[in-house]
Amino acid sequence: EPEVTQTPSHQVTQMGQEVILRCVPISNHLYFYWYRQILGQKVEFLVSFYNNEISEKSEIFDDQFSVERPDGSNFTLKIRSTKLEDSAMYFCASTGGGTYSYEQYFGPGTRLTVT
Amino acid sequence: KNEVEQSPQNLTAQEGEFITINCSYSVGISALHWLQQHPGGGIVSLFMLSSGKKKHGRLIATINIQEKHSSLHITASHPRDSAVYICAPSPASNYQLIWGAGTKLIIKP
């Protein structure tokens, strides 16, 4: 069964460093999402991406964040200068949309720890 | 006021019991998702529904669009059902999910 994959599973970085979280969505999906979950809190929407551009973003997704689909398979989330409060689990998701289902398929997550 | 309210926040039950988790939301939606988050953190989509009722194995999800309410039921609960169950409506204007805080379910053998 197709699945969404994410790398790395755990990333430790120092405050102020740039990190790139990588996701490989399901191959025929059209809509891509990043969510985050701070430990002990609920999941929060960050950004959605469709047709090679951001379609929606939350207040959390400020200028420090960017997303990119550099090739036909990868979908990345970059945090330019990490802060302690960026420590969280980051989930990537994809959905087919259109004539496909809008059911979202989630990757296993990347745990980001900023020290 | 939260856009999504789930109840109860925590639920502990004995194996075999019938479980009901409720979700109320305030936004207009195109669909509502029920998701399961395992203790290890992984998220699995259980249901996506926009009307009526869906059943998958021992899980049943219902939605009443007029009342903006949905329920997730688990029949013949089992310890492996222990997880956090999250209700997440998807607004009519886009396909992002608005996440509830989740219901932590523990099923004791």
Side-chain angles (χ1 to χ4, degrees):
Chain A
E1 187 176 323
E3 59 181 16
V4 178
T5 60
Q6 288 185 244
T7 54
S9 56
H10 190 191
Q11 173 93 47
V12 181
T13 189
Q14 288 191 323
M15 199 166 50
Q17 295 295 306
E18 175 184 286
V19 293
I20 297 176
L21 309 183
R22 301 181 193 279
C23 169
V24 179
I26 294 173
S27 62
N28 62 348
H29 280 185
L30 303 175
Y31 296 84
F32 314 110
Y33 309 86
W34 282 102
Y35 300 93
R36 81 170 186 191
Q37 186 177 33
I38 296 170
L39 188 64
Q41 297 186 21
K42 66 179 183 180
V43 178
E44 301 170 290
F45 167 75
L46 291 178
V47 66
S48 60
F49 193 86
Y50 170 71
N51 201 24
N52 282 320
E53 61 182 22
I54 291 172
S55 53
E56 197 87 21
K57 60 182 181 179
S58 70
E59 291 176 354
I60 304 167
F61 195 88
D62 61 21
D63 292 344
Q64 292 300 310
F65 291 88
S66 63
V67 288
E68 198 176 36
R69 188 154 160 82
D71 52 45
S73 59
N74 290 285
F75 178 50
T76 62
L77 174 69
K78 182 194 289 186
I79 309 175
R80 276 183 248 288
S81 177
T82 50
K83 307 183 187 85
L84 294 176
E85 53 265 37
D86 293 327
S87 294
M89 181 77 95
Y90 289 80
F91 293 101
C92 170
S94 69
T95 184
T99 56
Y100 301 100
S101 168
Y102 287 105
E103 181 177 355
Q104 293 199 10
Y105 292 80
F106 291 85
T110 292
R111 182 169 298 283
L112 177 64
T113 302
V114 183
T115 61
Chain B
K1 184 181 185 300
N2 287 331
E3 293 174 297
V4 184
E5 298 276 357
Q6 280 187 241
S7 63
Q9 289 184 315
N10 295 282
L11 179 57
T12 300
Q14 289 296 130
E15 183 174 357
E17 285 189 41
F18 181 81
I19 303 299
T20 295
I21 299 170
N22 294 300
C23 174
S24 296
Y25 54 92
S26 57
V27 296
I29 66 167
S30 59
L32 183 139
H33 299 248
W34 280 100
L35 307 116
Q36 180 191 55
Q37 186 168 30
H38 296 285
I43 297 174
V44 175
S45 178
L46 298 174
F47 293 104
M48 185 187 70
L49 66 165
S50 54
S51 65
K53 176 179 171 178
K54 282 191 176 181
K55 184 175 190 291
H56 185 239
R58 295 181 294 107
L59 301 178
I60 303 165
T62 64
I63 189 167
N64 185 317
I65 296 291
Q66 286 72 32
E67 293 186 7
K68 295 189 174 180
H69 182 268
S70 178
S71 293
L72 177 69
H73 306 283
I74 305 175
T75 62
S77 58
H78 190 276
R80 64 174 175 266
D81 297 326
S82 298
V84 175
Y85 291 85
I86 304 169
C87 165
S90 182
S93 59
N94 57 54
Y95 308 117
Q96 65 163 283
L97 302 184
I98 301 174
W99 296 74
T103 294
K104 185 174 181 180
L105 175 66
I106 297 172
I107 304 295
K108 293 186 173 180

